[in-house]
């Protein structure tokens, strides 16, 4: 097949889409799809007239599943990523990791390199924080996501990395997308707060084009009208992305809400809209953190959210990975386990 393609004046690269091999064929002038279709071994020819042809193709292989440790995102599996906004202190990180693991989170989160809107805000603990994350993740037995903000950080990330997060502000940083893709690990790609969903898909397209289909799309809210929430969680985008692509989608209720009191409602809504998981910021002493303190859920509230997520996921006929860690709670008991009267 490659020999036949070599006779055409085209560039060819091999990529993987789900369980299928695909060839990306580009020419300086339109390549006649009829001649491609006749080449031996070609099952189907897809035109790039579709704005995000590779992302659309992922749908054809059925719902994709991204696996990280015991976490599965997609294909009827729901998983929750949780942890602090940023890694400030190793003992606090350990405490949070144990709390979120006990509540059923299957992936730990925490930023070492932060991209803040203001240069005066805390910028993250850098490589030392990354080393703390690696050590704690190994100790508690959870895989982790951390944000890659610069291609020069790749070496510091090392090989035992479970996956990388591309933050909202970097959604269209093409060299970074390519670098993240080349790691060959899952990429959690966040939608920019001012980006259309098609633009999010085109960013995913860069990662697919580089041969990495382990992508988890993340809706984290777009610019809102007013200050009642930090960002406006676009649940329509979640449903649309699930219908349009085979890529798993997670919701970040923390950055959308901006305040911990609203996080559980947005988290539950995200799961009900069809999200394959959540990424949630948790901190037991938010008054001590320099990053996103207002939106951090306490471990107790996080545990309650996990129970609610489990109930909805099971009602939906899906599976919550890590649910076995959750203590069963009798119907009518409050978050602390005390029983309250039902129906009075
Ligand atoms: C984060 O996850 O801590 C973060 C900075 O998120 P976002 O890129 O969505 O703002
Ligand atoms: Mn944050």
């Amino acid at each position: 097949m490659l020999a036949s393609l070599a006779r055409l004046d085209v560039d060819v690269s091999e990529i993987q889409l789900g369980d299928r091999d695909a060839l990306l064929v580009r020419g300086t002038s339109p390549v006649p799809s009829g001649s491609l279709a006749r080449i031996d071994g070609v099952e189907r020819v897809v035109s790039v007239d579709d704005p995000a042809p590779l992302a659309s193709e992922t749908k054809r292989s059925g719902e994709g599943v991204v696996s990280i440790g015991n976490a599965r995102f997609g294909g009827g599996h729901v998983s929750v990523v949780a942890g602090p906004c940023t890694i400030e202190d190793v003992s606090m990180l350990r405490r949070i990791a144990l709390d979120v693991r006990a509540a059923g989170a299957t992936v730990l989160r925490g930023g070492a390199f932060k991209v803040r809107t203001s240069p005066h805000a805390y910028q993250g603990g850098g490589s030392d924080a990354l080393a703390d994350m690696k050590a704690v993740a190994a100790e508690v037995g959870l895989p982790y996501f951390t944000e890659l903000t610069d291609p020069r950080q790749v070496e510091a990330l090392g090989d035992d990395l479970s996956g990388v997060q591309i933050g909202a502000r970097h959604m269209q940083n093409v060299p970074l997308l390519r670098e993240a893709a080349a790691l060959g690990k899952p990429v959690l790609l966040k939608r920019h707060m001012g980006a259309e969903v098609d633009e999010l898909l085109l960013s995913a397209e860069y990662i697919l084009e580089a041969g990495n289909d382990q992508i988890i799309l993340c809706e984290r809210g777009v610019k809102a009208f007013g200050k009642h929430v930090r960002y406006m969680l676009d649940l329509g985008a979640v449903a649309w992305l699930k219908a349009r692509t085979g890529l798993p989608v997670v919701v970040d209720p923390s950055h959308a809400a901006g305040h911990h009191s609203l996080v559980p409602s947005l988290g539950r809504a995200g799961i009900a809209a069809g999200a394959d998981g959540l990424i949630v910021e948790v901190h037991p002493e938010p008054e001590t953190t320099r990053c996103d303190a207002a939106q951090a859920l306490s471990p107790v509230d996080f545990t309650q959210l996990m129970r609610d997520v489990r109930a909805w996921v099971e009602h939906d006929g899906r599976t919550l990975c890590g649910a076995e860690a959750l203590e069963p709670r009798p119907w009518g008991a409050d978050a602390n386990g005390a029983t309250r009267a039902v129906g009075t």
Side-chain angles (χ1 to χ4, degrees):
M1 187 191 314
L2 288 173
S4 311
L5 286 170
R7 286 199 289 275
L8 303 169
D9 183 21
V10 289
D11 287 333
V12 181
S13 45
E14 296 177 54
I15 59 169
Q16 189 72 31
L17 284 176
D19 52 3
R20 291 168 318 139
D21 299 319
L23 292 176
L24 208 50
V25 180
R26 292 181 196 140
T28 42
S29 49
V31 186
S33 58
S35 49
L36 292 180
R38 295 187 63 157
I39 295 176
D40 236 14
V42 171
E43 180 194 315
R44 235 157 39 76
V45 179
V46 181
S47 153
V48 290
D49 292 343
D50 183 315
L54 302 177
S56 300
E57 268 303 290
T58 57
K59 182 79 190 161
R60 205 173 291 273
S61 314
E63 246 196 88
V65 181
V66 173
S67 301
I68 306 165
N70 292 330
R72 304 269 176 284
F73 298 85
H77 296 274
V78 171
S79 299
V80 176
V81 182
C85 175
T86 187
I87 307 150
E88 285 166 307
D89 169 315
V90 70
S91 56
M92 180 55 83
L93 179 65
R94 184 178 298 114
R95 183 171 159 198
I96 298 172
L98 291 170
D99 279 344
V100 300
R101 190 187 69 180
T106 41
V107 183
L108 186 60
R109 64 146 290 150
F113 306 100
K114 300 300 294 180
V115 177
R116 308 301 301 281
T117 304
S118 165
H120 310 301
Y122 179 65
Q123 304 289 310
S127 313
D128 290 349
L130 194 58
D132 290 344
M133 175 55 111
K134 279 186 202 174
V136 169
E139 190 183 319
V140 303
L142 286 179
Y144 67 93
F145 267 121
T146 197
E147 186 174 343
L148 182 69
T149 61
D150 187 318
R152 288 168 295 187
Q153 291 153 2
V154 165
E155 213 163 300
L157 290 177
D159 288 344
D160 57 349
L161 177 74
S162 335
V164 280
Q165 179 177 327
I166 297 293
R169 289 160 189 80
H170 278 297
M171 187 199 87
Q172 287 183 318
N173 182 337
V174 172
L176 195 64
L177 293 173
R178 292 197 164 127
E179 203 69 49
L183 293 170
K185 307 270 181 173
V187 180
L188 191 144
L189 176 63
K190 288 187 147 194
R191 177 184 179 189
H192 184 270
M193 53 290 260
E196 296 182 6
V197 276
D198 276 336
E199 292 168 323
L200 171 66
L201 281 191
L202 284 170
S203 294
E205 197 80 2
Y206 273 101
I207 301 170
L208 290 166
E209 185 219 29
N212 185 344
D213 66 348
Q214 299 291 292
I215 303 169
I216 302 171
L217 302 172
C218 178
E219 165 57 34
R220 46 79 76 206
V222 290
K223 283 285 179 191
F225 298 99
K227 304 252 181 290
H228 58 300
V229 285
R230 190 173 175 194
Y231 295 99
M232 185 162 53
L233 186 64
D234 184 355
L235 293 176
V238 176
W240 187 87
L241 288 165
K242 287 296 298 171
R244 168 86 194 277
T245 81
L247 300 173
V249 179
V250 298
V251 158
D252 173 346
S254 307
H255 290 85
H259 194 270
H260 63 93
S261 61
L262 303 176
V263 170
S265 305
L266 298 192
R268 292 192 298 262
I271 295 296
D276 303 297
L278 300 177
I279 174 164
V280 184
E281 289 185 351
V282 176
H283 205 294
E285 291 173 11
E287 62 285 1
T288 66
T289 177
R290 287 192 278 172
C291 209
D292 287 350
Q295 68 199 32
L297 271 192
S298 68
V300 167
D301 288 348
F302 177 66
T303 306
Q304 179 60 40
L305 171 60
M306 290 298 289
R307 289 183 173 132
D308 293 345
V309 165
R310 179 182 185 169
W312 186 271
V313 163
E314 288 174 0
H315 163 82
D316 243 5
R318 297 189 283 165
T319 306
L320 175 65
C321 298
E324 58 288 349
L326 275 168
E327 300 267 326
R329 177 164 66 101
W331 180 249
D334 69 20
N336 301 314
T339 307
R340 64 172 185 258
V342 178
T344 53

